[in-house]
Amino acid sequence: MVFNKGTMSKHPDLHPDSAIIDAHGGPAKLAEKLGYDKSGGVQRIQNWRTRGIPDKVKVAFPELFMTDLIDRIKSSDDTQAPVGGTGGKEKFSKLLA
């Protein structure tokens, strides 16, 4: 029998997004940041620990869930717009201010 010590999670049923929820202070704090009511919002976020944070929520709140992307855009010195559209900096201008 082989055991992969150190590679197995203590909570294999938790989604990797659970760490993001913890980083924001847990379900109650994150529910408050997202403007969810306490009665159902905390339970909704608790469910995300196993299901993952929905993509539409991540996109709606990039300042909470896409901080690495925002940091990369801020530090980018690439001024050339991608083919077929405007530069990414314009799209995130509110976040870069």
Side-chain angles (χ1 to χ4, degrees), residues 7-85:
T7 60
M8 295 185 65
S9 171
K10 291 181 182 179
H11 302 286
D13 56 328
L14 292 181
H15 191 279
D17 285 349
S18 184
I20 296 171
I21 295 167
D22 290 338
H24 285 288
K29 291 284 185 183
L30 185 54
E32 185 179 321
K33 289 178 182 180
L34 295 175
Y36 293 168
D37 62 37
K38 286 198 175 198
S39 61
V42 175
Q43 181 60 48
R44 174 187 295 181
I45 293 171
Q46 183 64 31
N47 291 340
W48 295 348
R49 287 190 177 280
T50 55
R51 298 176 186 161
I53 301 168
D55 292 339
K56 67 179 184 178
V57 174
K58 290 180 180 180
V59 170
F61 296 93
E63 69 280 2
L64 296 177
F65 302 112
M66 296 185 197
T67 53
D68 348 345
L69 176 63
I70 293 168
D71 291 343
R72 285 195 320 240
I73 291 170
K74 284 181 179 178
S75 66
S76 173
D77 60 355
D78 184 11
T79 56
Q80 182 177 355
V83 175

